[in-house]
Amino acid sequence: MTGLQGTMGLAREHARGFLAAGADRPAVPVVQKVLIVIAELVSNAVRHAPGPYVLQLAQHGGRLLVSVSDGGASSPVPRPPDLAADGGGFGWHLVQRLSERVEVQVHGTGGKTVTATLLLLAE
């Protein structure tokens, strides 16, 4: 995906379709958590990394792996939320809070992949 206008909506629709096609459909609150994590990872890739990004979803048992790869060579850095100036700072904290695990793999040739693991069936 390119990160151009409309890309975020495509990412969310892809995730909804992926989850709906599974044998075990997660409850609405779980789907909402997944969509928030996807929105944050994609928006971070668009905002902070050069070039297009790739969204990958994989289900392993009762877990969903959400991976976003981009051209940025540095790991995400949490920053304090900026309530006064609308400067953000909430996304990485949300991803960490809503996910069971978050891993960052920086590739030697450039770019990185951020993978968030979420429980699909336990709430």
Side-chain angles (χ1 to χ4, degrees):
M1 295 191 179
T2 62
L4 298 176
Q5 185 175 4
T7 303
M8 182 65 70
L10 291 172
R12 285 191 299 260
E13 287 307 310
H14 176 69
R16 283 187 186 103
F18 182 88
L19 293 171
D24 297 317
R25 293 188 181 172
V28 170
V30 175
V31 172
Q32 291 171 337
K33 283 173 51 171
V34 168
L35 295 177
I36 290 169
V37 168
I38 288 172
E40 293 301 333
L41 292 179
V42 167
S43 65
N44 284 345
V46 170
R47 184 176 296 127
H48 301 293
Y53 69 91
V54 175
L55 169 65
Q56 294 179 305
L57 304 174
Q59 186 173 347
H60 295 282
R63 289 175 169 74
L64 177 70
L65 278 65
V66 176
S67 297
V68 176
S69 300
D70 62 43
S74 61
S75 294
V77 177
R79 45 190 183 106
D82 184 355
L83 296 171
D86 195 29
F90 296 94
W92 189 244
H93 298 287
L94 274 171
V95 170
Q96 295 281 335
R97 174 88 174 160
L98 295 175
S99 303
E100 180 182 41
R101 179 176 58 237
V102 180
E103 299 175 68
V104 179
Q105 180 183 13
V106 178
H107 308 292
T109 58
K112 69 178 171 304
T113 301
V114 179
T115 301
T117 303
L118 293 99
L119 291 174
L120 284 179
L121 303 176
E123 267 306 301

